[in-house]
Amino acid sequence: MEKRPLFHFTPESNWMNDPNGLCFYKGEYHIFYQHNPENCYWGNMTWGHGKSKNLFDWERLPHALKPDSENFGDIDGCFSGSAFVEKDELYLFYTGVKMLTKQKNEFGNTITIGLNDLAPTQILAKSEDGINFEKLQKLSLEIPEECCKAHVRDPKIWKKDEVWYMIIGARENSQGEVLVYNSKDMENWNFLSKIKEENMGYMWECPDLFSVGEKDILFISPEGVGKDEQKNISGYYLGEFNYETGKFIHEEFERLDYGFEFYAPQSFLDDKGRRVFMGWLVNHAPLPEENWTGMMTLPREIKMKDGKLYTFPVEELKKYRAEKLQEFSHLEKAKNMYDFEIVLENLENFQMLLFKDQEKSLKLSYSKEEKSLVLDRSEVINSFEPLKTFGTIRKLKIDGETEKKIRVIADKSVVEIYINDGELVMSSVLNPTSCQKGVEVMGNILSKEIYTLKR
Ligand code: FRU
């Protein structure tokens, strides 16, 4: 179990994908997640569950939702959704699915034969103790005629001025979109509008809409839009949401993370008024010798500054900074558990080698020709093919002439890199050998703060 991260949420065992139902309930944080209780590959979608007082020490709880009801229509899967807390009650909204055709895949999991052979139902469940959930009802919502009925999923619910709002991922003629509804009773939903854009993929998954400061922010995870080897990406639109019409006027799409496998982020508001989210760092198979697949990003807080969105690890992470070191070379003993920040005069001659042994490393360097930061993980894959499917190089356009702050958090088999306090982020899952733990940083360094991380 050498590679299991200690600060990034992972399932106790088996497969995990999207974060679901993130919320703060009766003094504790709750995380739910798409889980396959049977094995390390996608299937049998069940809601895993954990809770925590500080977003890092998670207590594991029994599964919250199981795919077990013909009546509710979730017999073949409890897909993604969200939570809503009201008067000491915890509500979960999710997509139940029934598969209209079935076959077993190579891992023994049941999947449909055709991509559209899915019948989704939006379902409401409730808990009074935050542990046991009762499925309450199927939601009544009209899906516009022109939408593909098989692909309506991942409801996110919130409340404003005594009215509930829901957005849900959908597709129409191979174009992704979200459908917007409102409701006075959580059960009957009126269709308000569609939010969509040209050339933004064939399906929008896991939408989320919320405000930070003056801005409304829409998270979407469009399928079939990415360049590189990563076709499904996640990001956001900044804009203004009209609660009367459900229309959303927005700026250009931006990525939340320019690394390799970030997907399906979901946010929630905590008791401190912070907007926090986690995304899923996709991996389609367990790392060698491990019995779990998939991890979440660090919990990240969102802030707006000068009209721009910044995301950075919640401050609680700093409590785990253990020893302060003077030199990067001393980090070797931290065994890839560290958190450091440097200020660079500019990006000229900048190069950072992480997860380094005698010959190989993860490289972050500045390319003057391409005016880009280049993250190259090809030497820390160590023949683990599933990581290669997302590619080994990412390039991020950035000017190299001005001062830059770079924070790096390494956690065993994952690294998160924050540029300028979270103006830009790059994350990567890795498969280092036990010898790959050195750190070297070159460039015009103005200052540095180096810490080991400890549980
Ligand atoms: C996103 C997603 C969701 C769906 C869930 C199924 O990764 O495809 O749209 O609800 O995963 O596990």
Side-chain angles (χ1 to χ4, degrees):
M1 297 301 154
E2 285 256 305
K3 289 176 187 156
R4 189 194 281 270
L6 300 184
F7 297 93
H8 291 71
F9 185 87
T10 51
E12 189 168 23
S13 60
N14 296 326
W15 167 273
M16 176 179 80
N17 56 296
D18 317 353
N20 296 153
L22 297 177
C23 65
F24 189 80
Y25 174 66
K26 292 188 181 167
E28 291 173 308
Y29 295 97
H30 284 254
I31 184 173
F32 301 85
Y33 51 92
Q34 290 284 283
H35 190 225
N36 182 356
E38 307 288 329
N39 55 54
C40 281
Y41 299 86
W42 185 90
N44 307 304
M45 293 329 303
T46 301
W47 277 41
H49 186 193
K51 66 175 184 173
S52 166
K53 289 200 163 52
N54 60 10
L55 287 165
F56 289 104
D57 298 303
W58 293 97
E59 178 187 339
R60 298 191 187 275
L61 296 171
H63 285 113
L65 300 170
K66 295 182 186 165
D68 57 9
S69 171
E70 278 290 354
N71 199 17
F72 283 99
D74 67 6
I75 196 77
D76 295 313
C78 297
F79 278 17
S80 287
S82 56
F84 186 83
V85 174
E86 168 118 322
K87 298 197 188 91
D88 270 1
E89 284 170 344
L90 174 48
Y91 294 91
L92 299 180
F93 292 83
Y94 69 102
T95 302
V97 298
K98 190 175 165 61
M99 295 179 182
L100 304 176
T101 59
K102 292 185 186 186
Q103 61 178 336
K104 290 263 185 212
N105 68 10
E106 56 187 311
F107 308 112
N109 295 320
T110 305
I111 55 171
T112 56
I113 296 172
L115 290 175
N116 293 334
D117 304 341
L118 266 186
T121 309
Q122 314 312 324
I123 304 166
L124 171 61
K126 184 176 106 167
S127 173
E128 280 164 16
D129 59 6
I131 295 176
N132 300 294
F133 289 83
E134 184 194 353
K135 294 173 190 174
L136 284 187
Q137 60 207 199
K138 296 183 187 177
L139 304 184
S140 152
L141 74 170
E142 169 213 337
I143 311 293
E145 238 349 89
E146 59 287 5
C147 294
C148 173
K149 298 289 178 294
H151 297 286
V152 180
R153 60 175 172 267
D154 313 336
K156 175 84 200 249
I157 274 76
W158 74 104
K159 193 180 185 185
K160 188 173 159 77
D161 303 332
E162 294 313 304
V163 179
W164 279 276
Y165 292 84
M166 176 199 298
I167 50 171
I168 189 159
R171 82 188 260 181
E172 175 182 335
N173 300 326
S174 301
Q175 193 185 342
E177 61 189 15
V178 298
L179 306 176
V180 185
Y181 295 83
N182 67 7
S183 168
K184 291 230 153 73
D185 59 10
M186 276 202 217
E187 189 186 346
N188 299 292
W189 295 84
N190 311 304
F191 174 69
L192 266 187
S193 75
K194 289 176 194 166
I195 303 173
K196 56 181 177 178
E197 276 304 318
E198 299 280 306
N199 302 320
M200 277 303 290
Y202 58 84
M203 168 77 201
W204 287 6
E205 298 189 307
C206 302
D208 190 358
L209 205 155
F210 53 89
S211 55
V212 176
E214 304 286 288
K215 287 281 185 191
D216 295 318
I217 299 164
L218 175 68
F219 277 4
I220 51 168
S221 294
E223 286 187 284
V225 70
K227 291 185 223 67
D228 309 322
E229 290 86 344
Q230 192 184 0
K231 296 285 171 258
N232 304 343
I233 58 171
S234 291
Y236 63 91
Y237 289 112
L238 283 183
E240 206 176 311
F241 181 68
N242 183 318
Y243 276 87
E244 297 297 314
T245 61
K247 295 259 181 296
F248 186 56
I249 297 170
H250 59 79
E251 300 168 18
E252 293 289 301
F253 181 79
E254 301 276 355
R255 299 270 295 262
L256 275 163
D257 191 306
Y258 290 87
F260 294 90
E261 47 258 308
F262 175 90
Y263 199 62
Q266 186 181 80
S267 82
F268 69 104
L269 197 63
D270 81 352
D271 63 323
K272 301 179 181 73
R274 298 183 296 185
R275 179 58 62 172
V276 177
F277 75 96
M278 285 190 208
W280 165 42
L281 293 176
V282 184
N283 198 353
H284 286 302
L287 290 168
E289 326 270 315
E290 302 292 312
N291 68 344
W292 53 276
T293 313
M295 62 176 94
M296 300 303 176
T297 61
L298 292 168
R300 299 177 185 171
E301 184 179 347
I302 304 177
K303 274 215 173 112
M304 295 295 304
K305 202 163 74 188
D306 303 327
K308 259 191 176 170
L309 186 140
Y310 287 74
T311 71
F312 47 90
V314 294
E315 63 176 19
E316 286 89 331
L317 182 67
K318 292 192 177 160
K319 292 196 187 131
Y320 299 93
R321 286 177 168 180
E323 204 182 333
K324 188 166 184 179
L325 304 178
Q326 293 310 317
E327 300 300 333
F328 292 108
S329 59
H330 300 164
L331 272 177
E332 180 121 19
K333 65 174 182 197
K335 296 194 178 147
N336 295 324
M337 301 282 298
Y338 53 80
D339 177 356
F340 70 75
E341 189 161 70
I342 52 175
V343 179
L344 295 161
E345 192 179 342
N346 49 42
L347 291 177
E348 199 137 312
N349 308 319
F350 168 68
Q351 194 182 30
M352 191 154 82
L353 308 178
L354 308 169
F355 295 85
K356 179 178 166 293
D357 63 11
Q358 298 291 352
E359 294 145 23
K360 303 189 288 183
S361 63
L362 174 77
K363 289 191 189 64
L364 180 71
S365 54
Y366 186 66
S367 154
K368 244 181 168 173
E369 300 74 57
E370 301 184 80
K371 289 200 175 13
S372 295
L373 271 171
V374 181
L375 181 63
D376 181 347
R377 67 172 177 181
S378 53
E379 295 179 349
V380 201
I381 300 264
N382 294 308
S383 315
F384 180 62
E385 290 297 324
L387 283 184
K388 280 195 193 153
T389 58
F390 293 99
T392 56
I393 293 197
R394 289 289 183 272
K395 293 177 184 169
L396 175 57
K397 282 255 175 267
I398 192 166
D399 91 85
E401 278 101 64
T402 57
E403 199 173 292
K404 295 280 172 310
K405 210 191 247 184
I406 301 184
R407 181 172 175 195
V408 175
I409 296 149
D411 188 6
K412 300 272 195 188
S413 56
V414 53
V415 66
E416 299 198 3
I417 301 167
Y418 293 84
I419 297 150
N420 291 343
D421 298 310
E423 184 184 345
L424 298 164
V425 187
M426 296 177 106
S427 300
S428 175
V429 176
L430 302 160
N431 181 39
T433 64
S434 55
C435 299
Q436 290 186 298
K437 48 189 195 292
V439 177
E440 206 179 311
V441 183
M442 292 149 270
N444 303 323
I445 303 173
L446 296 176
S447 66
K448 54 181 192 260
E449 269 196 62
I450 311 170
Y451 299 92
T452 61
L453 283 176
K454 248 202 185 105
R455 301 294 322 229

